[in-house]
DNA sequence: GAGAATAAGTCAGGCTTGTTGACATTCCAA
DNA sequence: TTGGAATGTCAACAAGCCTGACTTATTCTC
């Protein structure tokens, strides 16, 4: 497996190296989604549901609009997903106290259980990769990923880190 | 690999670190597809077409079956994409000389032009990220991506590297 | 040479995820 | 208080992928 030669500061920017990086990203992302997809298979849910559960778990009480921005989809698309999750009792939607237009989202016990299961599987995958690659590689990995996010997306990401209720 | 302090070597495997890695991967992949998607907008083509063009450009003369394995989709799905690309004159399908059952795929000039345009945009994106992160980070990035690919996917990836016509 | 296996293409039907458009409710500021 | 903005919902439709069943042409095997 052709690794980028650290010593050579030019080689890592050749078109060929870039192309390999692009392809690696494509394949890795595919591998990345295998485990959760398998768990969801047959449940009637898909990746969209997984993503919603993930971010609601990450920031409970988040309103729909914020989740919308993070996920980068239209509200109609998200709404369909939320509707089924709410109907199935995985997510609870509470009317905002300060602003009654807002709906704040929480996982129910059942929702939290599924999210945990999905999260565990994906983390295991990630952990194995991190173990193989080692701490220094992981640091580099994170650096490049951060750089790969464009301004808007980075904002979503940053917004998530702040623990705003 | 290299010696890092014990404290750090554990920290990079915490659930929180893993979760951040997972989210970074999600956001980065989204940023990653923005540029090509914008180019394709309004052309009637989508990511599926982009992927097909990419890999045909990468390994001209590839037959349908191999492309199928690389992309990891069903032949019906790929066929719809190829049909339009061929009908529009972006891809050429030639009957195999050794085995006449096979169809070998090539980009036409027009197809190569579009692929180049898409590829340039995506490479630019990648190059900027690589520049920001630096060669060592890129090396780590690649190592983790390799580890993230599961067996099957890595095979697709490896098969692609061999320049088998 | 006959029959099984392989490569590719097709048709039908379904699912998930995304989109646009229209609409109800709530808040806020002029 | 009224009009505009924000928040969320519902309906209809498209893209893209999937499975299953089938056809055609060619190659391999006995």
């Amino acid at each position: 497996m052709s690794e980028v030669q650290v010593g050579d500061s030019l080689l890592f920017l050749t078109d060929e190296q870039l192309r390999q990086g692009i392809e690696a990203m494509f394949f890795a992302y595919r591998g990345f989604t295998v485990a959760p997809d398998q768990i969801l298979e047959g449940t009637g849910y898909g990746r969209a549901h997984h993503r919603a559960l993930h971010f609601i778990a990450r920031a409970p009480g988040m309103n729909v609009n914020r989740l919308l921005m993070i996920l980068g989809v239209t509200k109609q698309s998200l709404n369909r997903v939320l509707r089924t999750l709410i109907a199935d009792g995985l997510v609870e939607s509470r009317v905002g106290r300060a602003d009654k237009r807002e709906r704040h989202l929480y996982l129910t016990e059942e929702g939290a259980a599924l999210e945990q299961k999905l999260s565990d599987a994906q983390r295991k995958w990630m952990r194995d990769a991190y173990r193989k690659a080692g701490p220094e590689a992981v640091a580099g990995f994170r650096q490049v990923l951060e750089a790969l996010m464009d301004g808007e997306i980075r904002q979503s990401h940053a917004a998530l880190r702040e623990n705003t209720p």
Side-chain angles (χ1 to χ4, degrees), chain A residues 40-55:
Chain A
L40 290 170
E41 202 163 338
T43 63
Y45 302 127
R47 273 183 216 177
H49 302 85
H50 177 195
R51 290 196 283 265
L53 289 175
H54 175 101
F55 288 111

Side-chain angles (χ1 to χ4, degrees), chain A residues 12-23:
Chain A
F12 85 115
L13 283 172
T14 62
D15 279 3
E16 181 52 26
Q17 286 292 336
L18 291 168
R19 194 213 282 267
Q20 283 181 19
I22 288 166
E23 286 176 4

Side-chain angles (χ1 to χ4, degrees), chain A residues 101-116:
Chain A
R101 292 173 304 182
E102 294 180 345
R103 298 297 133 89
H104 297 268
L105 303 168
Y106 300 86
L107 296 186
T108 63
E109 267 189 43
E110 199 187 339
L114 177 56
E115 197 281 329
Q116 193 63 243

Side-chain angles (χ1 to χ4, degrees), chain A residues 5 9 27 46 94 111 124 126 133-134 140 154 159 162:
Chain A
Q5 292 155 26
S9 59
F27 289 116
R94 299 186 202 152
K124 175 178 174 357
M126 204 75 183
R154 171 173 276 127
E162 309 160 12

Side-chain angles (χ1 to χ4, degrees), chain A residues 20-150:
Chain A
Q20 283 181 19
I22 288 166
E23 286 176 4
M25 192 76 184
F26 169 66
F27 289 116
Y29 193 78
R30 238 175 45 188
F32 183 68
T33 55
V34 167
D37 283 357
Q38 279 177 344
I39 291 173
L40 290 170
E41 202 163 338
T43 63
Y45 302 127
R47 273 183 216 177
H49 302 85
H50 177 195
R51 290 196 283 265
L53 289 175
H54 175 101
F55 288 111
I56 295 173
R58 181 100 157 84
M62 177 185 273
N63 69 27
V64 175
N65 221 9
R66 185 137 161 253
L67 183 53
L68 230 43
M69 290 192 305
I70 289 168
L71 293 176
V73 298
T74 59
K75 59 181 174 173
Q76 294 86 336
S77 189
L78 174 58
N79 193 253
R80 183 172 352 91
V81 168
L82 283 180
R83 205 177 347 180
T84 66
L85 290 175
I86 291 169
D88 295 353
L90 301 186
V91 168
E92 192 187 349
S93 163
R94 299 186 202 152
V95 173
R97 275 192 302 176
D99 186 335
K100 288 177 190 158
R101 292 173 304 182
E102 294 180 345
R103 298 297 133 89
H104 297 268
L105 303 168
Y106 300 86
L107 296 186
T108 63
E109 267 189 43
E110 199 187 339
L114 177 56
E115 197 281 329
Q116 193 63 243
K117 201 172 155 193
L118 291 165
S119 193
D120 283 349
Q122 204 161 30
R123 269 204 302 271
K124 175 178 174 357
W125 189 256
M126 204 75 183
R127 179 161 29 231
D128 289 350
Y130 274 20
R131 272 221 190 88
K132 275 187 218 162
E136 280 194 82
V138 168
F141 172 69
R142 290 299 304 277
Q143 274 182 279
V144 175
L145 286 190
E146 293 283 340
L148 275 172
M149 303 183 204
D150 76 58

